[in-house]
Amino acid sequence: AGQVLRSTRTPQQILRWLLAAGLLCFLVSMAIDTSTWPAAVQGILSGWSLCPAVKRIWTPTWAVFSSGWTFWFLAAFYWSIDIRGWKRWAWPLSVVGMNSIAMYCMSQLMRGWTRSSLKTHFATLDSWLGLEHGLQYLLVDCPYAPLLERTAVLFVFWLICWWMYRQKIFVRI
């Protein structure tokens, strides 16, 4: 994909290539594992699988299937940013992209600590404000607590990346 993006092809040719590559990845993964088929056609070869798509152990089928999504997301970003010129909305993604290694390390090493710290501080803030169903409720008892909790942790990590971006601190290999 990188070579195609850097080639002398027209933007429309690049976009078509990315979309076709994504479709090809989906078709190959569906040929290897029938569980990825839409429910309407799953009865034809139900249960047949050369190699199941298992994300946890990154089977070849999963790698090809996720590559299809990656090609399609790249095509969408290429279309909106490079072809259409809509760049402003992507700034938060650029902040993370400039320190993607730092973001990855934080998510692997600091996720649990950040989650528990947020819960502790939100509980303290709720007690100071005298709120019964305040911020702590959103991270613990609310039906959407897992989603809100992960979003809050992501936002904290994004703020750290934003600070690094503003200080021109970029972690590179």
Side-chain angles (χ1 to χ4, degrees), residues 137-165:
Y137 170 77
L138 293 176
L139 295 183
V140 177
D141 298 327
C142 173
Y144 301 106
L147 176 67
L148 296 172
E149 174 187 293
R150 286 169 177 83
T151 303
V153 170
L154 176 66
F155 183 65
V156 168
F157 293 163
W158 185 87
L159 287 174
I160 294 169
C161 283
W162 181 51
W163 177 83
M164 293 171 72
Y165 182 86

Side-chain angles (χ1 to χ4, degrees), residues 62-81:
W62 176 259
V64 174
F65 180 74
S66 64
S67 295
W69 282 110
T70 304
F71 279 121
W72 279 5
F73 270 100
L74 182 58
F77 288 139
Y78 180 74
W79 176 80
S80 65
I81 295 169

Side-chain angles (χ1 to χ4, degrees), residues 78-128:
Y78 180 74
W79 176 80
S80 65
I81 295 169
D82 292 334
I83 294 177
R84 299 291 299 185
W86 299 334
K87 297 178 182 179
R88 295 194 87 151
W89 69 270
W91 179 76
L93 300 174
S94 298
V95 168
V96 173
M98 292 299 288
N99 266 314
S100 56
I101 296 170
M103 182 62 103
Y104 174 77
C105 289
M106 286 188 292
S107 72
Q108 294 299 312
L109 301 173
M110 297 173 45
R111 183 178 30 208
W113 177 81
T114 305
R115 184 182 320 125
S116 64
S117 293
L118 282 171
K119 287 180 182 179
T120 300
H121 292 300
F122 283 171
T124 303
L125 187 61
D126 286 348
S127 67
W128 283 352

Side-chain angles (χ1 to χ4, degrees), residues 2-17:
Q3 294 297 324
V4 170
L5 288 171
R6 296 179 74 192
S7 71
T8 58
R9 299 176 189 196
T10 67
Q12 286 72 26
Q13 289 174 327
I14 292 172
L15 185 63
R16 279 194 297 270
W17 189 94

